[in-house]
Amino acid sequence: MRRTALNITTLKTLLVAIGLAYSTIAAAGITLVQDVHVFDGTAGHEHRSVLVRDGVIVDADYHGPAPAGARVVEGKGQTLLPGLIDAHVHAFRHLELPLMFGVTTQVDMFTSVPIMQELTKAMREGRNQGRADLFSAGTLVTAPGGHGTEFPITIPTLEKGADAQAFVDARIAEGSHFIKIVMEDGFGTHHFRSLDAATVKAVIDAAHRRGKIAVVHISTLANARTALEAGADGLAHLFPGTAISQEDADSLAQLAKAKHAFVIPTFSVWESMAGIKASDLLDDQNLSGMLDKEERAALDTTYGQTPQPALLTAPSIVTAALRKAGVTILAGTDAGNGGTQYGISLHHELAKLVDAGLTPREALVAATSAPAAIFNLGKRGRIAAGYKADMVLVEGDPLQDVKATRRIVEVWKDGESVNPLRAEQRRHVAEEAAPHRSQALDLPFEGRISLLKDGKLASPFGTGWMPSSDRMAGGMSDVKLDVRPGTETDGGPGAVMAIQGQVRTGFAFPWAGVAFVPGVSMQSVDLSAAKVLRFRVRGNGKYQAMMASNGMHARHAVSFDAGAQWQEVAIPFTAFTGVDPTAVNMIGFNAGPKPGDYQFEIADVRLVDR
Ligand SMILES: [Zn+2]
């Protein structure tokens, strides 16, 4: 039993590493940041001392001695800012990554409902340390076949003339913090069906009837005007264009002003569309050195095939016009899209807003107090007594040069330093970049890794086999693992693992099954001597084989069917897309993610070269 407990701890550690589980470290304690320049969310103050206790800023202008037990941080020559807020992301992965770059809150414009619900619950229960907070629109409101339906998740859509109030109420029941509406006719040669003006207005009115903000995705001047006329609280983008008349820009700005609407220009994603990479981020080792290969690859790409910088002319001119008219501008990246990355891209967006005419102070407001107020995010976005201790300490003065936000000294989330996570991320990136020194493990006899020893489940190497469910990550699924000897006719030699899983909702990716950990503790193991995962199975439905590598940072599941008769399944390692066979951390067989009761048996698991 002791061994099992150890194994579960190992697995839990691995899960924490990939952000499936959340940190349970509490007791953030007392921190005093001393003699620091403070940007409080609206203005700068020299020589302040800020006192934090149990995750909350208790005094933003503290004059007393350091309280007993306080960690004192010298802030001379540095600036303390509120944790940054990205007002436009799609947060379906990398939930810990924003923190590495000082982004402590994300406003999400469309993600899967279980992810939204899991984060909302964790935040409500005060256990969302170690990853960015999320306020999400959940499922967006789009037409059948509209933008948002092209992704591999099935979403409800709104037919013309259908009951907009019922649709909005269903989103609110799911937990949507605000309502996101799509007006999109297409990009390039790709055409979408779009909601028409009357439906957009009906949805906006329905949201307002429930006290919810309605944000409209647009990508043309015409749709921007229509959305504002319909009463949108804000625009989720501006629009690309090689030219726009000053008259059109000013007229749109006046309309937005008259309607008290805000605008999130999202230069970062428009640059990607225009074929322009954020080379300033990629070239800045201090920043992009925090991204692993996969995370960097997403940033080091563009949607547009050829660079067309002229397409940024219209959003730049309109942003300047909005500023002149006094319209609230928010900093949002559309991270989750190609050419962007969570957290890091916000620093690029801040620079783009300044290029478009905002002062550094205005750009910082657009990424702190303004989105917090607009989106009703509670006590965040300011360095002030009673506010959440989400903070970033940077070298220099970003009110003079906004790029100073990139020189991060320390990040706090809920009063807890994120620097240990930042150090862990740097270690992970360095390890990945180092020449591979490990040696391929010799495969065991016939490749078999599911053994029976003294009537118990065993393996020829590694930590071995263990039951595995999302319970260890806070989910509700249960699993029962029984082991018996196999015969030649019954699953082959070695152990037969009989798995009973109750997969329950309550976690973003529910699962219940059995896992094999090939390394001792968290070590990766080079299994490249094998090319294929072979096993025998019988069951009553659809299951998943999962493989994870590189400290669980890369992982992929492959579905397989199993019926009442034993059958052999062979999955080539190449089917586990993105997983590195020279650095494997886990192989698993799971029921889920669809909720339900599952039974299946796995036997004769082998790692073979063909
Ligand atoms: Zn978006």
Side-chain angles (χ1 to χ4, degrees), residues 88 90 109 180 237 334 337:
H88 187 147
H90 300 280
M109 295 278 171
K180 161 88 176 288
H237 296 286
D334 215 352
N337 277 289

